[in-house]
Amino acid sequence: MQNCVESRLARLEATQNPDGGWPYFPGKPSWLEPTAYALLALSGRRGPAFERGWRLLRSWQMPCGAWRPCAAVDQAHWSTSLSLTVHWATGIRDAAFQRGIDWLVTSARAEDRMVARLTHWLCPSIVEFDPGLAGWPWETGAPSWVEPTAHALMALRGAARRAKNRDWNGRIAMSERMLLDRRCRDGGWNYGNRRVLGADLPSYPETTALALMALDGHAAVAWGTALDGVERTWHETRSPLARAWLSSCLLLYRGERPQPAERDDRTGNDILVTAIEGIPWNHILAAS
Amino acid sequence: MEPHPGGLVTRRRFLGAAAVSAVAAGAGCAKRTEAAGPPGKAAVAILRAPSYRVDLVDRLVRGAALCGLDARGKRVLLKPNLVEFDRSSVIHTQAEVVAASVALFEHLGAREIIIGEGSGHRRDGYFLAEEAGYRQAIPDFDSRFVDLNRDEVAHVAPFPGKGGIYLARTALAADLVVSIARMKTHHWVGATLSMKNLFGVVPGAVYGWPKNHLHQAGIPNCVASLYRTFPRSFAIVDGIVGMEGNGPIQGRARSCGVLVMGADLAAVDATCCRIMGIDPEKIEYLRLVSDQGHVAEPWIEQRGETISQVRSPFELIPQFQHLRLV
């Protein structure tokens, strides 16, 4: 198992861009998302690759406190949460980190607007969810969705525990309730719509794993059943990304990843998958 | 709504083409100075194809000839609909149609044929392509495929919402964007066809999954703006088996037995609507482009089969009964 991790870390070092970041696919421009995951994977080494990546990540913070997703895009991005997790996971709690946290806890969501809640109450049958429960959106001011909420929850919970800050507990608790409210009838999560026009929607394995990781042992989840389902799905799905998140979830809660199958060469160039599989989630999140 | 004579460049269309030209120039591709679309009436080909086992390449070659499609020497992006995959359903563009489209553009002498999609709900585009059978059906699929969700991006303005939009650079740099959609109903906008399929060029890496940015900015406005952003485009709609009812994800399969093709995406979509028993002039995004594309029946020249020969009214959800073509 250790060899698998080592091979992923070596691959990350081999695919780092000259600017210090990581692309989604080798040879392409750097993005914050794969860069943040690569830094979490390499955080135990703190070698030159980590340092170069760290410098790029820091340079992408915007005056508002949020991070941009890549050099070409000049707007605040949900992956700010990932950058904040890299900060607290590596022991950095400086002014830049604090500005990022401030942006995260004050960023607006559609559910904050009375008119959005009112509209939902008037037409509840289109998409069924509790509009009073807000997590985090993909974009500031938009409705909350599962994936950005999961990442923000992990980032904020880790920051709160390290700072011993209880001011954010309310937002953390509401986001947990929002995730639980969006849970599909089959027990997992998709992007965030469990029921549309009276029909149940199915969950996806990758978002199910992420939601479970973000719920941090929440009492409302039957964890034995949920994790058995995660392991079963890991064996069944052929999606490398889904398998990466499912195995990360098992690493977090059960202490080890399932034995990986042979890597499919056709998808082996996805750096996001490589990075997620290289992260010691049990050490990073369990300690948060 | 009066149709404008084909071939005239309206002020809005000119401005749209000019904005695209600026972006394209920034992306390092050739400057675009004119919109696509035939002069006069828009030609739309309707071809019978009772199943995916018939010779689809032959059908597509005939359809391309009926439309006068010229792809020689062009860099072509084939954009199927792979918003999601469900083995028991018909959400995606059928692999056989995508494979036949590759063969079509090889036959037409395209310089490069790329297959690109930015899935709307799930992130793993390669996995979805494999599940949908694209890898098995298409030679060299992996070397052709670009995950548009995680592509390089370029900024395009104006666009509905604040401050323009970022789009996949592969799409902006293509000489010809071929939207290969499945004929489906849609529970927000009535129908999803070749124009709505362009949502897949909006990068999830910027806007997330789903691409809620487009819903917030207004789906019809965004569909219309994407239509204007890609004036050099072509549509192939897979209506061999479509989806009716609660589309685009949870509807039921509906055998319709047709392929619909043409260079004006609005005209193709309007034709598909008429085949589906939907009044295209009640579809808001088609109304929004009716001053630039051909939506009204007098301005569309049907070639191959006629609409009445293949009409197959799709079931509509109660919210969209008012769209029914009378």
Side-chain angles (χ1 to χ4, degrees):
Chain A
M1 189 62 66
Q2 190 58 30
N3 286 342
C4 293
V5 174
E6 288 297 323
S7 73
R8 280 155 182 73
L9 300 188
R11 178 163 173 73
L12 289 175
E13 290 180 338
T15 53
Q16 188 175 27
N17 278 334
D19 66 5
W22 278 267
Y24 284 112
F25 302 104
K28 300 294 183 182
S30 301
W31 285 77
L32 180 62
E33 187 183 22
T35 297
Y37 289 138
L39 289 174
L40 286 172
L42 293 166
S43 60
R45 292 189 174 182
R46 301 293 186 98
F50 179 90
E51 295 302 331
R52 286 199 302 275
W54 173 253
R55 281 197 294 276
L56 181 75
L57 179 138
R58 293 279 284 193
S59 74
W60 280 355
Q61 190 174 26
M62 303 174 73
C64 66
W67 267 260
R68 61 171 59 200
C70 64
V73 176
D74 184 25
Q75 64 185 44
H77 197 248
W78 66 269
S79 54
T80 294
S81 297
L82 304 181
S83 179
L84 293 171
T85 296
V86 175
H87 275 73
W88 61 247
T90 52
I92 305 295
R93 294 206 303 268
D94 60 3
F97 171 71
Q98 190 55 51
R99 283 195 295 118
I101 288 288
D102 290 345
W103 179 85
L104 189 67
V105 297
T106 58
S107 59
R109 307 145 296 186
E111 293 87 350
D112 295 328
R113 297 196 301 272
M114 179 65 80
V115 66
R117 294 200 297 274
L118 193 60
T119 301
H120 189 88
W121 287 119
L122 290 172
C123 301
S125 63
I126 298 173
V127 181
E128 293 178 34
F129 64 89
D130 184 343
L133 299 174
W136 274 269
W138 291 105
E139 288 187 290
T140 305
S144 305
W145 298 95
V146 165
E147 191 170 334
T149 298
H151 289 299
L153 202 42
M154 288 188 266
L156 194 59
R157 187 185 293 116
R161 286 177 181 168
R162 278 167 172 71
K164 296 183 171 52
N165 186 328
R166 295 184 177 181
D167 294 347
W168 306 323
N169 286 356
R171 185 143 188 188
I172 289 171
M174 179 185 273
S175 301
E176 289 172 340
R177 288 169 60 205
M178 173 260 168
L179 284 180
L180 293 167
D181 177 61
R182 303 292 184 96
R183 195 173 192 182
C184 298
R185 184 179 287 270
D186 65 17
W189 283 261
N190 57 27
Y191 52 87
N193 283 345
R194 60 177 161 78
R195 196 168 160 84
V196 177
L197 284 170
D200 289 317
L201 299 186
S203 62
Y204 305 152
E206 57 273 19
T207 32
T208 295
L210 263 170
L212 290 172
M213 291 171 73
L215 282 167
D216 189 39
H218 195 285
V221 176
W223 286 95
T225 306
L227 294 175
D228 287 347
V230 167
E231 186 158 5
R232 189 171 55 250
T233 309
W234 182 88
H235 285 287
E236 292 170 355
T237 185
R238 296 196 298 166
S239 162
L241 182 67
R243 287 167 63 89
W245 280 119
L246 291 164
S247 72
S248 296
C249 183
L250 292 169
L251 175 63
L252 174 62
Y253 289 113
R254 290 186 168 166
E256 61 181 10
R257 292 182 189 271
Q259 189 63 41
E262 288 296 313
R263 178 169 286 280
D264 183 342
D265 289 340
R266 293 171 299 181
T267 55
N269 68 347
D270 191 331
I271 293 175
L272 200 70
V273 171
T274 302
I276 292 167
E277 289 178 339
I279 297 171
W281 293 103
N282 50 338
H283 295 147
I284 289 175
L285 293 183
S288 74
Chain B
M1 189 158 315
E2 289 297 314
H4 74 84
L8 289 183
V9 178
T10 66
R11 178 173 171 273
R12 291 175 72 186
R13 192 168 191 172
F14 172 78
L15 291 173
V20 171
S21 296
V23 171
C29 58
K31 187 178 179 187
R32 304 167 184 203
T33 55
E34 60 184 24
K41 291 185 177 182
V44 174
I46 303 174
L47 299 114
R48 282 192 195 272
S51 83
Y52 294 105
R53 291 187 298 276
V54 301
D55 187 346
L56 294 177
V57 178
D58 172 69
R59 302 293 200 285
L60 293 183
V61 167
R62 281 197 282 135
L66 289 170
C67 299
L69 175 62
D70 177 13
R72 182 164 300 280
K74 291 182 178 171
R75 184 173 197 249
V76 176
L77 171 67
L78 305 182
K79 161 61 181 82
N81 183 340
L82 204 45
V83 57
E84 215 179 277
F85 176 78
D86 180 343
R87 199 173 300 281
S88 64
S89 186
V90 289
I91 297 167
H92 62 291
T93 307
Q94 196 77 13
E96 290 89 336
V97 176
V98 184
S101 300
V102 173
L104 166 68
F105 284 94
E106 285 174 341
H107 170 80
L108 293 174
R111 174 169 53 89
E112 186 179 5
I113 303 167
I114 303 162
I115 302 168
E117 166 64 319
S119 305
H121 291 167
R122 293 191 67 177
R123 279 172 165 253
D124 200 336
Y126 283 91
F127 162 71
L128 292 175
E130 176 151 335
E131 292 291 290
Y134 289 7
R135 274 181 159 150
Q136 293 86 340
I138 299 163
D140 307 325
F141 176 84
D142 287 344
S143 62
R144 294 187 189 279
F145 185 70
V146 174
D147 182 349
L148 300 180
N149 277 326
R150 299 189 283 172
D151 193 17
E152 294 178 48
V153 298
H155 193 251
V156 171
F159 200 87
K162 294 176 186 171
I165 194 166
Y166 293 92
L167 297 178
R169 194 175 281 261
T170 297
L172 292 167
D175 299 320
L176 186 69
V177 174
V178 182
S179 178
I180 312 177
R182 192 189 283 270
M183 189 181 284
K184 295 194 289 186
T185 52
H186 192 287
H187 60 217
W188 295 121
V189 291
T192 175
L193 300 155
S194 68
M195 287 171 61
K196 172 72 172 58
N197 183 40
L198 293 176
F199 269 27
V201 306
V202 176
V206 178
Y207 298 105
W209 291 261
K211 296 165 188 182
N212 193 230
H213 179 90
L214 304 173
H215 291 218
Q216 294 288 297
I219 297 174
N221 285 325
C222 292
V223 173
S225 292
L226 287 168
Y227 170 75
R228 293 179 190 119
T229 302
F230 295 97
R232 291 186 173 180
S233 52
F234 191 83
I236 299 173
V237 176
D238 167 10
I240 297 172
V241 178
M243 178 184 280
E244 66 180 2
N246 184 13
I249 306 295
Q250 294 192 293
R252 284 187 300 278
R254 172 58 183 260
S255 291
C256 194
V258 293
L259 291 163
V260 186
M261 303 167 64
D264 182 345
L265 272 56
V268 169
D269 287 4
T271 299
C272 290
C273 283
R274 292 185 174 102
I275 292 170
M276 298 163 78
I278 293 172
D279 185 347
E281 301 195 41
K282 292 179 180 170
I283 298 290
E284 191 176 349
Y285 62 78
L286 286 173
R287 280 210 309 259
L288 289 171
V289 301
S290 59
D291 60 334
Q292 303 163 46
H294 298 293
V295 175
E297 210 159 5
W299 291 103
I300 301 175
E301 184 175 324
Q302 312 294 172
R303 297 179 180 174
E305 306 293 333
T306 65
I307 291 173
S308 60
Q309 286 172 322
V310 297
R311 179 168 285 146
S312 177
F314 279 37
E315 182 191 320
L316 304 177
I317 58 175
Q319 291 90 330
F320 284 129
Q321 288 300 324
H322 65 283
L323 300 179
R324 180 67 73 198
L325 192 62
V326 179

